[in-house]
Amino acid sequence: MIQITALREQTEEYIARLSKRGIPAEQMVHDILDLDRTVRECKQETENLQAESNRLAKEIGVLFREGKRDEADVLKARTSELKDALKDKEQELRTAEEALEQAMLNLPNAPHAGVPNGRSAEDNEVVYTWGTAAQFDFEAQPHWELAKRFNLIDFELGVKITGAGFPVYTGKGARLQRALINFFLDEARTEGFIEIQPPILVNEDSGYGTGQLPDKEGQMYHATADNLYLIPTAEVPITNIYRDVILDADALPIKNAGYTPCFRREAGSYGKDVRGLNRLHQFDKVEIVQIAHPDLSYAVLEEMQQYVQSLLQKLGLHYRVLKLCAGDMGFTSALTYDMEVYSAAQERWLEVSSVSNFESFQANRLKLRYRDENGKPRLAHTLNGSALALPRIVAALLENNQKADEIVMPEVLVPYLGFDRITL
RNA sequence: GGAGAGGUGGCAGAGUGGUCGAAUGCGGCGGUCUUGAAAACCGUUGAGGGUUAAACCUCCGGGGGUUCGAAUCCCUCCCUCUCCGCCA
């Protein structure tokens, strides 16, 4: 949620920024400010009534102690009128507050000035490209063929045990998963991230904190018996560590990294690009999260973005960096970089990481604050990114490094793998 | 799964109907003392809203109720801990 005070004080600026998303920002913001005024008026009147009623109650208390029952009874009569008025006002206030809350929840984050204009993925800006596409003197196979031929991943077995989108990794396929996870975690630690191993089921409060609830409810698996949700990303439990927390300024930036399996129902996205590892219900990911001082969050974003690139370079993967346009950016983000690796056999780019600065949008809901120079609590900025999501990395590694009858592993992974190639 | 205890300020922990936003201790901050530090002593120290500043309002797990008045009484939900059973 955007801070209401910011919206009040920098109305025109926010309208301009929000308009980039192609939404009726002017209307939405003015509606919100109208509701805000109503709420504030109502609150003022309610508080006046409460103050009056508190005053009378105290007076009655004094009269009782002095034994002046009759005088007390007179005052009591007056309080009953007050109570009725108060009840009405409170109801009115609650209605207005709910409307405001709803309107605020529907307002996406304001794109940063550097975000390109545009409506769809076509308008994303390619800011950097690294490496070249692998060339083959034979017919390159897509990863699902390779996975089968080299006995690395069994998709049918996953269907038997659970359902589509839950692959079973076997032998060197399983070892490759484990190697990548360890490699990513070690790299993150070297970069100064503290490793976290969080729960992968979260409660409702956490879902609200990072914004999966209420609107994206259908995207998470829900364990109804206990009202817990399987996490769609480690961002949820890790960021919620800092929900309702006031940090010391010198604790910033906080850098956390964690590996977790991720679960996504992907409701409504069947039939499109779902072959093999391209889109799964369960997958592995190492996520990096930072809590930063507002003045430094964009420097932190660049640092994180560069860090993710360094991983892709070490793995030797041909990739490109996109700055997402306003229309393609997630609801909660102010600026997002996507990293895409080239899949040589599918001949398309696959998203493997998304690095975002949410500014105070998440922090506002989380009540994640730090103390400024004057000791006053202020909202911090949150950032996160995948570093990295495994399935599409695996897809690209298998496809790009395939030879006629073997698959060569990148050198950095060999110590983790215990082998340097996958053979028939 | 069975039985019990409990949720109060950064932490510990008092408080069972009125002047309690809340004793006390620890921690934090400021000061006195000291060459410096420790100790000791003095002061100060929750969050949100509101105001130029104040007044004022809200918050003692969540929600509802009783009452002129609720941290305190009632209902309900949630959570935590302890013991027993089962179990990785």
Side-chain angles (χ1 to χ4, degrees):
Chain A
M1 267 196 298
I2 294 180
Q3 295 177 75
I4 187 75
T5 47
L7 230 40
R8 281 202 289 259
E9 285 158 20
Q10 300 149 54
T11 309
E12 293 313 313
E13 186 195 324
Y14 270 92
I15 289 173
R17 285 174 67 182
L18 282 162
S19 296
K20 268 192 173 175
R21 286 190 183 262
I23 56 170
E26 176 141 21
Q27 188 62 49
M28 291 173 89
V29 170
H30 280 129
D31 286 351
I32 284 170
L33 291 178
D34 284 345
L35 282 167
D36 179 48
R37 252 186 303 278
T38 309
V39 166
R40 283 145 65 84
E41 279 166 19
C42 264
K43 190 173 266 177
Q44 195 50 248
E45 291 169 39
T46 305
E47 286 183 1
N48 288 342
L49 291 171
Q50 281 169 332
E52 176 69 7
S53 146
N54 287 344
R55 224 201 69 232
L56 284 174
K58 269 183 193 163
E59 238 172 273
I60 290 169
V62 172
L63 290 173
F64 262 110
R65 235 189 330 281
E66 293 171 352
K68 301 176 181 167
R69 277 206 90 96
D70 295 348
E71 290 181 45
D73 285 339
V74 174
L75 289 184
K76 270 197 196 178
R78 266 177 63 196
T79 58
S80 72
E81 299 166 37
L82 259 183
K83 266 179 100 176
D84 289 343
L86 188 57
K87 209 165 243 173
D88 289 350
K89 258 303 159 214
E90 277 175 342
Q91 185 53 49
E92 198 182 322
L93 175 62
R94 200 167 315 155
T95 307
E97 276 178 337
E98 274 163 21
L100 178 60
E101 170 85 2
Q102 203 49 53
M104 288 299 286
L105 285 174
N106 285 328
L107 195 67
N109 202 356
H112 181 261
V115 172
N117 287 308
R119 289 304 182 80
S120 70
E122 259 99 273
D123 302 315
N124 292 337
E125 192 183 305
V126 179
V127 295
Y128 189 70
T129 305
W130 189 87
T132 51
Q135 300 296 319
F136 304 99
D137 51 12
F138 56 94
E139 176 94 11
Q141 291 185 312
H143 68 270
W144 52 88
E145 303 282 355
L146 295 167
K148 189 165 196 169
R149 182 148 72 101
F150 290 90
N151 290 315
L152 301 172
I153 307 170
D154 194 327
F155 291 96
E156 288 75 25
L157 195 52
V159 171
K160 172 187 172 185
I161 298 169
T162 307
F166 293 90
V168 176
Y169 303 88
T170 58
K172 285 184 172 174
R175 289 166 70 187
L176 176 55
Q177 293 290 115
R178 188 153 53 87
L180 282 167
I181 292 164
N182 284 333
F183 169 63
F184 291 145
L185 284 174
D186 282 350
E187 289 290 310
R189 180 163 41 86
T190 306
E191 188 72 10
F193 289 92
I194 305 295
E195 186 172 337
I196 304 284
Q197 206 176 100
I200 59 177
L201 280 162
V202 295
N203 60 27
E204 257 184 328
D205 285 347
S206 294
Y208 279 99
T210 30
Q212 278 70 30
L213 297 175
D215 26 311
K216 287 179 230 149
E217 168 128 43
Q219 292 300 331
M220 287 192 292
Y221 288 96
H222 188 190
T224 51
D226 298 287
N227 198 26
L228 296 172
Y229 294 87
L230 275 165
I231 58 169
T233 159
E235 166 196 345
V236 179
I238 293 179
T239 311
N240 270 286
I241 292 173
Y242 306 99
R243 167 157 51 85
D244 285 320
V245 166
I246 302 177
L247 297 157
D248 288 329
D250 58 16
L252 302 176
I254 285 180
K255 303 173 75 170
N256 287 163
Y259 153 72
T260 66
C262 302
F263 302 88
R264 299 186 181 179
R265 294 187 63 229
E266 299 292 358
S269 57
Y270 290 104
K272 189 162 170 277
D273 304 331
V274 295
R275 290 210 68 177
L277 297 170
N278 288 345
R279 174 167 271 124
L280 300 173
H281 289 306
Q282 176 180 335
F283 63 96
D284 295 298
K285 178 159 67 66
V286 172
E287 181 81 0
I288 51 176
V289 172
Q290 290 214 44
I291 317 289
H293 189 285
D295 295 344
L296 298 174
S297 66
Y298 280 93
V300 167
L301 178 67
E302 288 311 308
E303 169 201 313
M304 284 171 72
Q305 184 263 108
Q306 289 295 336
Y307 167 68
V308 173
Q309 285 195 45
S310 77
L311 296 177
L312 294 168
Q313 289 180 14
K314 284 179 185 174
L315 291 172
L317 291 169
H318 175 38
Y319 71 87
R320 64 182 190 179
V321 181
L322 303 178
K323 196 188 255 187
L324 295 194
C325 75
D328 199 34
M329 213 165 53
F331 188 82
T332 54
S333 176
L335 179 59
T336 296
Y337 290 106
D338 270 9
M339 317 291 159
E340 297 182 333
V341 298
Y342 191 69
S343 155
Q346 301 180 72
E347 295 182 332
R348 44 187 288 246
W349 294 95
L350 302 174
E351 181 191 330
V352 290
S353 178
S354 193
V355 185
S356 302
N357 185 357
F358 305 100
E359 298 189 359
S360 59
F361 196 84
Q362 282 186 330
N364 193 23
R365 269 216 233 182
L366 289 161
K367 294 194 175 60
L368 194 189
R369 293 165 291 176
Y370 71 97
R371 287 192 193 282
D372 68 11
E373 320 71 62
N374 304 316
K376 287 269 174 274
R378 284 183 60 195
L379 292 178
H381 281 193
T382 61
L383 303 96
N384 66 47
S386 348
L388 285 155
L390 294 225
R392 294 172 190 163
I393 292 288
V394 170
L397 283 176
L398 299 183
E399 291 181 14
N400 297 0
N401 297 326
Q402 61 180 303
K403 308 293 175 218
D405 52 9
E406 64 177 9
I407 305 171
V408 180
M409 292 291 103
E411 221 170 285
V412 287
L413 290 184
V414 174
Y416 291 95
L417 285 166
F419 58 85
D420 63 358
R421 62 198 56 238
I422 296 166
T423 51
L424 285 170

